[in-house]
Each structure stands twice: as structure tokens, then as C-alpha cells.
Amino acid sequence: MLPGRQRANRDDGCAPLGQRQWSIARPLTFHSSTDALEVALTDDVLVVHGGTPLQGQIRVRGAKNLVSKAMVAALLGDSPSRLYDVPRIRDVEVVRGLLDLHGVRVTDGDEDGELVFDPANVESASTDEINVHAGSSRIPILFCGPLLHRLGHAFIPDLGGCHIGPRPIDFHMQALREFGAVVEKRPEGLHLTAPNGLHGTKFSLPYPSVGATEQVLLTAVMADGVTELRNAAVEPEIIDLICILQKMGAIIKVHTDRVIEIQGVPRLGGYHHRPIPDRIEAASWAAAALATRGDVEVLGAQQVDMMTFLNVFRSVGGAYEVTDARPPRLGSAGQEGGIRFWHPGGELKSVALETDVHPGFMTDWQQPLVVALTQARGLSIVHETVYEQRLGYTEALNSMGANIQVYRDCLGGTPCRFGRRNFKHSAVIAGPSKLHAADLVIPDLRAGFSHLIAALAAEGTSRVYGVDLINRGYEDFEAKLASLGAHAERP
Ligand code: EPU
């Protein structure tokens, strides 16, 4: 049995198998088709009888990677905020817990999925209390600016999030220092102060990092003076965060060429906001429809933020139809918009694709789509340029009969920053391969969903361990699977 199986409170449940810590409920031995694994596991397992096309309709709510940041933004306001369409996922619970610790009253609104944040009594929280959330998510790093503005100091616990590479926070720290923050690294976490206040600055990101751009936005909006951020990320979730901040009273200009200019203001109010839908979840279900030769309508999915995905989906041989929303009119009910994705029959085609920052192909779309690519005729190439270690999950697909080789070279596209750094970040997928059932252990959120899709597409009965991790970013995924006709159950 692998050693050290006590669950530590720093375990975010995302670590790869070798680092992963499990609470012991039932020690168990099982064998995958490639390796003999002996792992102590909880009852956190889903038994999946594969081979049935997914068919039906599901709905996605607000994007995980916007909603969590919108919740942090509420801390900056001096009056209550309302956020609609918030999915019931674990990242939301973590941020809610942290806000609560800092005196923000979070309550459920009238509408299903509506949260109300009252920041009237923001207060300091103890390091021990905050540390309960250590390792649970990457969002706490975004509390730096808002807490410095509201309290003059901040404590940030060890971060979590999926282990898909080193995931440094050097850009965040550099930016905060430029604003005038003093950052002290202590064993229990980061302590920040701003003895001379926070001041606008000119800063250029070495890479258009989503998190670091959000860090700058959430700090600059109330800093003294003007901030100019160059090489900023401009993902739709960031633009939606800018919309929220603007509703709160911020002055933010998005220029061409990834330049964002923020004019600091002395106070911000609350906001009412309906977030953009989760385009990662939508693409995950689309990939599941394609890999299982099914037909899934994703209500809430929006074409505009998924154009790059839709182009690839069509190039692979998938079919889709966009249904626009129609407001209710006298005598006729309205219609919720969405996108229907299906496998039109016949063989899928191989493609070459490269993940990139927006408007490129999202890194988070990669893992679910690769399962469908195992069913395409010929050689597909995937060049991962956002994270250096996001192809490890392909081993599990190979154990199910896929034929995927990973390479250190930059294949199929322009050289990226990982090319000379010895990271296996390109994959060649030879297909079509018949997938067969296997016992799988989920390594991280998006790879986990790809394991699930593979189990649904494979012939036979697979056991997928660690599925609870999927609840970090996919609301009610088991209920959605059931509504799409999947044969999956808890043992
Ligand atoms: N980077 C640095 N230094 C930094 C920050 C980032 O070197 O200080 C590097 C990272 O190591 C990575 C690249 O920059 O190689 C991009 O990282 P980025 O900061 O853009 O990612 P993030 O903000 O940590 C968010 C999403 C990810 C998504 C990426 C890219 C959240 C909570 N997470 O992460 O989503 O993959 O942007 O779009 O918003 C997921 O949802 O499963 C997920 C991993």
C-alpha cells in the first residue's frame, strides 16, 4: 500500500497520484491495464458502464473562473452585491468561507443560484482560521488587493488548485510590490501590508496570465492614481470581471494590444450581475457528446465565447447548432438559448491544434477533446502552450486502448516557451482506437472529466476513483450524466 494516506487539510484533492493523499475508508487493491496499482481509496468511486451515447439536454450556469473572482470583488464594495446563476461547486464554497471569515455576510438570494454579499462589517480573520482553507483553491491569492484596501493588511494561505505544473505566483507578487505592497513570506503563508498605501503603476506581464491580470485589476481599481497594465490577459471571464468592477464604479479602459488602463477611485459600491456561462463546462459536455457518438444540447452555452472551440469541433467532424435565446412575448413562451452538439455519424477527422491564451484554444478544453480525438482517423497533434505539464492524463487513456505519444518538442505549431525546457507538452494521437474499460484514478479537474468521458465512451465497466474532485468545477455532474442517459452509479 502506498504510504502516508492520512488526509491533510492542505490536500486540495488535485494532486497527481504520486502526491495524492486520501482518507482511508477502505484499503483496496486494483489493477489498471498497464500498471499494477495498489492504492488505498475512499468510497469516492463511480462505476461507469460505457458504450451508451449521451443524449438530452443539460444547462450550464455562471463560469467557475468568473464567479469566484466576482465574489472576491464584492469585498471591495461598501454596499451589498448580488450575483446570479452561481453554480453549486466547491470553489464557490471555498471563497464563500473566506469571505465569511472576513466579515462579509453571504446569504442566498430569492432566485435559485443567487448570492448576496454584504461587506458592511469587513474585519480581520485569524491566521489559523484562514489556514483551514489552505490548499483548497487558487482564488485566495486574489484577496491580496481587496484586503489591503479594506484592512491595510492581508494573510494568504498556501494555495491549491490543480497540479498541472509548478503554477508560480511571481507575477502576482511583482505586481503587488509595484503597487507599494510589502510581501513577507512566512512558513504559514504570505503576509502583506501597504505602509504607504497602494499607488497606480505601469506594469507589463511577462506572459498574459489570467490570475495576475485579475490581481492587477482588483488592486488598481482603488489604488491612488492610474495603472497601465501591458500584455494583459483578455479572456471573456476577465472582460466580465471588468464589467462587474465598472458596475461598482471603477474606471477601466481596455485598449488594443492587451493594454488595460485603470483609473483608481476612492470608493466602490456593490453590483448586480449575471455572469457569463461556463464555456469550459459547455465544451466538456460537447466533447462527451462527440466521444460517445451522442447528441447533447447545452442550454446557456454562448457561441461568442466558444468560437475557437466550435471551429475545432467542426473540423474534427462534430456537428453543432446554435439556438439563440428568445424573450417571452405575449402568447408565446420564451426560449433559452444554447448550443446543441452531436456526432453526425461516420468517422471523425484528425486535427492539429495548439492551446493558447484568448482568443486561442483554451487549455481547459484540451483534455476532454482529446478523448474524442482518440476516435478520429489519422494523427492528431495537440501542442499545449499554457501549462507545461498538462498531458500526464494521456497515460490513463493509453491504458484504455488509446494510442497517444507525448513529446518534449513543440509539435505542429509555433515554438512556445516550454520548447527548450524539457517538458512533455506535445501529444500525437493516432486513431481511431477502440477504448476498453479500466480502473482510473482522477488526477485533476479537467483531466478527471476526460477520464469520465473515456469511461463513458469505452466498452465495458470502468471504475473511476476520486470523482468527487469533479465537483470542484462541474455542478451536479452526476445528475447531469443520469439525465443524459449515462449508466453510471455509486457502488
Ligand atoms: N504564471 C507564471 N507566474 C504567475 C502566474 C502565472 O509563470 O505568477 C504562468 C503559469 O504557470 C501558467 C501560465 O502563466 O503557465 C498561465 O497561468 P494563468 O495565471 O493564466 O492561470 P491561472 O490564473 O492560475 C486560470 C484558470 C485556469 C485556466 C488558466 C488559463 C482560474 C481559477 N483558473 O488559472 O483554470 O486554465 O487561467 O486560462 O481562473 C481550471 O478551471 O481547471 C483551470 C485550471
Side-chain angles (χ1 to χ4, degrees):
M1 191 170 73
L2 294 172
R5 296 281 161 211
Q6 297 297 327
R7 177 173 278 275
N9 68 1
R10 292 190 175 199
D11 176 18
D12 65 351
C14 278
L17 182 61
Q19 298 162 23
R20 194 156 180 173
Q21 299 189 311
W22 302 87
S23 54
I24 302 175
R26 178 166 56 94
L28 163 118
T29 304
F30 71 92
H31 301 276
S32 78
S33 52
T34 51
D35 308 310
L37 294 175
E38 190 186 30
V39 187
L41 289 169
T42 62
D43 290 326
D44 183 15
V45 56
L46 195 66
V47 177
V48 180
H49 311 284
T52 306
L54 294 189
Q55 262 163 349
Q57 202 178 54
I58 50 115
R59 184 169 184 274
V60 291
R61 296 217 263 190
K64 157 184 165 289
N65 291 347
L66 176 274
V67 163
S68 45
K69 289 67 177 281
M71 293 172 74
V72 180
L75 190 53
L76 285 164
D78 58 13
S79 51
S81 293
R82 273 172 201 275
L83 189 60
Y84 304 99
D85 250 345
V86 177
R88 279 182 302 271
I89 53 175
R90 203 148 57 245
D91 267 18
V92 166
E93 283 168 33
V94 171
V95 185
R96 186 174 181 159
L98 277 168
L99 287 173
D100 190 55
L101 277 180
H102 287 95
V104 179
R105 214 169 136 248
V106 187
T107 48
D108 294 330
D110 298 336
E111 199 180 296
D112 178 37
E114 176 186 341
L115 288 182
V116 184
F117 309 92
D118 185 352
N121 297 307
V122 171
E123 60 187 8
S124 302
S126 82
T127 307
D128 286 348
E129 283 175 318
I130 298 173
N131 252 331
V132 169
H133 296 280
S136 52
S137 157
R138 294 189 66 73
I139 309 300
I141 193 68
L142 297 177
F143 277 71
C144 293
L147 285 180
L148 284 173
H149 283 304
R150 294 301 307 263
L151 300 170
H153 59 89
F155 168 69
I156 308 299
D158 268 3
L159 299 180
C162 290
H163 292 243
I164 46 183
R167 305 195 79 179
I169 50 165
D170 50 337
F171 307 163
H172 296 250
M173 294 302 110
Q174 277 166 25
L176 286 162
R177 287 192 179 105
E178 293 280 335
F179 280 109
V182 175
V183 184
E184 201 190 325
K185 286 185 192 163
R186 294 198 202 146
E188 71 274 17
L190 298 173
H191 288 265
L192 295 100
T193 50
N196 301 311
L198 296 167
H199 303 275
T201 183
K202 284 192 175 192
F203 189 71
S204 182
L205 285 171
Y207 181 82
S209 149
V210 168
T213 301
E214 291 160 344
Q215 183 77 263
V216 169
L217 285 168
L218 290 165
T219 308
V221 279
M222 282 179 70
D224 193 17
V226 178
T227 296
E228 185 187 276
L229 178 64
R230 295 192 163 267
N231 205 23
V234 289
E235 268 61 10
E237 290 78 11
I238 287 183
I239 302 300
D240 211 30
L241 179 62
I242 291 175
C243 290
I244 288 172
L245 293 167
Q246 198 178 41
K247 284 177 177 175
M248 296 173 80
I251 302 169
I252 304 173
K253 296 177 195 162
V254 182
H255 298 297
T256 48
D257 296 333
R258 299 190 175 278
V259 178
I260 301 180
E261 188 187 311
I262 307 122
Q263 163 83 59
V265 295
R267 69 158 287 273
L268 292 172
Y271 65 80
H272 287 201
H273 193 73
R274 194 169 293 279
I276 56 164
D278 199 311
R279 61 196 178 117
I280 305 178
E281 184 183 355
S284 301
W285 289 112
L290 195 59
T292 61
R293 304 181 78 84
D295 186 337
V296 174
E297 184 173 16
V298 184
L299 294 176
Q302 255 176 30
Q303 179 183 17
V304 66
D305 297 331
M306 296 188 69
M307 288 170 88
T308 311
F309 178 83
L310 294 175
N311 288 335
V312 172
F313 193 82
R314 182 170 279 161
S315 306
V316 175
Y320 65 85
E321 183 187 19
V322 180
T323 43
D324 290 323
R326 269 206 322 261
R329 294 241 166 80
L330 212 59
S332 70
Q335 176 187 294
E336 189 173 7
I339 308 180
R340 181 185 148 214
F341 299 92
W342 72 97
H343 190 307
E347 275 198 333
L348 298 181
K349 291 170 275 192
S350 52
V351 287
L353 70 90
E354 198 163 64
T355 65
D356 208 344
V357 294
H358 189 74
F361 190 91
M362 287 186 92
T363 169
D364 307 280
W365 288 334
Q366 179 256 105
Q367 300 91 327
L369 192 76
V370 162
V371 184
L373 292 181
T374 66
Q375 305 308 302
R377 177 156 302 276
L379 295 181
S380 292
I381 296 172
V382 172
H383 181 203
E384 169 62 55
T385 77
V386 180
Y387 290 110
E388 54 273 62
Q389 287 169 31
R390 221 178 185 180
L391 293 172
Y393 73 95
T394 55
E395 267 182 40
L397 301 187
N398 284 342
S399 79
M400 302 176 79
N403 183 356
I404 306 175
Q405 306 276 352
V406 289
Y407 296 90
R408 293 187 165 81
D409 314 74
C410 298
L411 295 182
T414 35
C416 76
R417 62 209 163 105
F418 307 137
R420 292 173 194 281
R421 291 173 52 205
N422 215 20
F423 294 116
K424 290 186 175 171
H425 69 293
S426 294
V428 175
I429 304 128
S433 306
K434 203 169 173 54
L435 298 182
H436 52 76
D439 287 340
L440 306 164
V441 181
I442 283 185
D444 66 67
L445 178 61
R446 305 301 170 193
F449 203 85
S450 82
H451 284 16
L452 196 58
I453 299 176
L456 291 163
E459 230 166 60
T461 299
S462 297
R463 293 170 76 85
V464 187
Y465 291 88
V467 276
D468 189 38
L469 182 50
I470 295 179
N471 290 314
R472 245 197 80 210
Y474 293 86
E475 182 181 44
D476 290 341
F477 79 93
E478 288 179 62
K480 287 179 183 171
L481 280 177
S483 79
L484 295 174
H487 298 295
E489 80 259 342
R490 295 279 179 167

